[in-house]
Amino acid sequence: MSTRTPPVSEGAPALVPAPPSAPTRPRSAPPPGARAVVAAVLVALAGTALLNAPPPATARTAPESAAGPESAAGPESAAGPESAAGPESATTRSLTPSGSTAPDPTAADPTAADPNSADATAPDSTAPDSTSADSTTPGSTTPGSTTPDLLAAPVHFAGKAFDTCEAPSLTVMKAWLASPYGAVGIYFGGRGRGCPVQKELTPSWVASAHAMGWRLLPLFVGSQAPCVDSLAKRKYAIGSTPVTQGTKEGGDAVRAAKALGIGASSPLYLDIEAYQRGDTNCAATTLSFVRAWNREVRRLGYLPGFYSSADTGVRDMETQRRAGTKDLPEAMWFARWRGQPALLTESVLQPQAWTPHARIHQYAGNVTETYGGRTLAIDRNAMDAPVARVTAPARFAARVPVPLSFVASQRP
């Protein structure tokens, strides 16, 4: 972003209670008319007992499937994200890289033997975001994930976004409401952040910015590829145990997000800076780290997203998607600085890949813009992708009307 290297028992049936036994007649027989009255009373009592009896037990039915319907909305129309910031929209969770073939269980998996690749713990939170009107809807289990999806549907935003190294003050964020941007990238964690202090970035900032109407894109800059291009990032290189390291940092990311009030079902975008092409060992180490990070983030109830250069990290993820590799990101943020957005026409991605609602294009970087008398150095983005669920009080909720039009997505 603004500090990056520019990228190119079934039981037995219950017994029905028997009607009460007939009372013992007195020694002296009653008159004939009385006998008829007694008989009528006995019949009524028996009928009441039968009506009040519990029904016979039946075999238990199987629980309803957790798989929810996929969103019918397609990718953004040709009008593109250059229009003013569009709305956030809720769909049932189905953000698996679209267009991918089903993972081949016989395909080579470099981390299959690692215990970190077999986590099956359910997400730690199933509560919906109190600020959203979206209901908690069971979604589909992500291919390659071992965790059933029982979380609230993600919130999506389509429009323009910016990111900057350090979260601006709330005064600046208010001034920038006059800008064409509707979402902002925030660097919420990771040992490789260019601006690690982030003095403005607090739970109050997150809730207040969201209340203004801003939608948030949480970015985590952790360990980097061993062959990362940036000299400043090489001290954060992934070590010799990428799976263990990725799992740990995935947990770190979720804890940092929760501490800021970023709730479950939010995307967390892992920032992997541009690295050398053609270094297969480096690419394999990076892939193992990313997949382990994804598994842990997903296991803990969040959506693993991915940011990288289109020609390195994104290209390699697309290659793995086509191969049916498991544990890939659910949203793709690709950087190619050509000055104009090309959200659906990026050359390294097949048209149906990471659609619908799962793409961000960073199309310009290190530019300066001024709105409301406040100037920032930013990167420009066009997006149709998940944004954070903010666990703020309901009175802070802010929604943007007028949806963009969408066309049908190509689905496998």
Side-chain angles (χ1 to χ4, degrees):
M1 311 214 153
S2 60
T3 59
R4 296 179 182 160
T5 303
V8 231
S9 123
E10 302 173 356
L15 298 177
V16 178
S21 59
T24 305
R25 292 181 55 190
R27 291 179 182 174
S28 58
R35 291 177 182 174
V37 172
V38 171
V41 170
L42 291 176
V43 170
L45 288 173
T48 300
L50 289 172
L51 285 173
N52 292 333
T58 57
R60 294 176 181 172
T61 56
E64 185 177 353
S65 171
E70 288 190 340
S71 167
E76 190 170 5
S77 67
E82 279 298 288
S83 58
E88 56 182 7
S89 62
T91 63
T92 51
R93 180 178 174 191
S94 183
L95 288 174
T96 306
S98 301
S100 61
T101 57
D104 182 359
T106 64
D109 184 350
T111 61
D114 191 283
N116 292 311
S117 66
D119 289 319
T121 305
D124 63 348
S125 172
T126 58
D129 180 1
S130 61
T131 70
S132 174
D134 308 325
S135 60
T136 302
T137 306
S140 59
T141 302
T142 304
S145 169
T146 56
T147 304
D149 178 7
L150 300 175
L151 300 172
V155 174
H156 302 100
F157 175 82
K160 296 183 73 176
F162 76 91
D163 61 89
T164 187
C165 187
E166 187 172 352
S169 70
L170 289 172
T171 301
V172 174
M173 295 303 295
K174 184 175 181 180
W176 272 54
L177 290 173
S179 76
Y181 301 104
V184 56
I186 54 172
Y187 292 88
F188 74 98
R191 69 191 189 106
R193 283 186 296 180
C195 295
V197 176
Q198 300 288 340
K199 61 182 182 295
E200 298 287 346
L201 192 55
T202 64
S204 176
W205 187 97
V206 168
S208 298
H210 187 266
M212 290 181 195
W214 289 102
R215 295 299 167 253
L216 308 180
L217 296 165
L219 281 148
F220 184 88
V221 191
S223 296
Q224 298 294 305
C227 56
V228 62
D229 288 341
S230 171
L231 293 176
K233 300 293 185 184
R234 289 185 182 175
K235 60 184 175 181
Y236 306 118
I238 299 165
S240 59
T241 56
V243 173
T244 300
Q245 196 169 350
T247 301
K248 178 187 179 301
E249 293 191 28
D252 292 343
V254 169
R255 283 186 290 274
K258 286 182 176 180
L260 288 172
I262 297 171
S265 292
S266 295
L268 305 181
Y269 292 92
L270 176 62
D271 182 331
I272 296 290
E273 294 294 306
Y275 53 87
Q276 297 173 25
R277 288 183 61 182
D279 188 331
T280 55
N281 289 334
C282 176
T285 296
T286 304
L287 176 64
S288 295
F289 173 87
V290 172
R291 294 177 65 208
W293 192 92
N294 292 346
R295 282 193 297 271
E296 186 67 2
V297 167
R298 185 180 287 119
R299 185 185 74 83
L300 295 173
Y302 287 70
L303 302 181
F306 183 73
Y307 167 90
S308 192
S309 164
D311 279 334
T312 54
V314 173
R315 182 187 296 272
D316 287 346
M317 289 297 151
E318 170 67 353
T319 298
Q320 297 301 320
R321 184 196 67 83
R322 295 185 191 189
T325 301
K326 301 182 297 180
D327 302 318
L328 297 184
E330 296 194 20
M332 183 60 69
W333 190 337
F334 56 94
R336 190 183 291 284
W337 293 359
R338 289 182 171 171
Q340 294 297 323
L343 191 63
L344 300 179
T345 56
E346 168 53 44
S347 60
V348 304
L349 297 175
Q350 287 189 340
Q352 73 275 19
W354 281 282
T355 62
H357 314 308
R359 283 194 186 192
I360 305 173
H361 178 201
Q362 186 184 89
Y363 61 90
N366 294 332
V367 298
T368 300
E369 297 187 27
T370 302
Y371 298 98
R374 302 286 179 161
T375 301
L376 289 175
I378 66 166
D379 299 334
R380 296 170 179 161
N381 303 274
M383 65 174 292
D384 177 11
V387 292
R389 281 182 168 275
V390 175
T391 53
R395 66 180 179 274
F396 286 162
R399 304 187 72 82
V400 183
V402 189
L404 296 179
S405 60
F406 292 94
V407 295
S409 170
Q410 299 182 45
R411 308 293 295 183

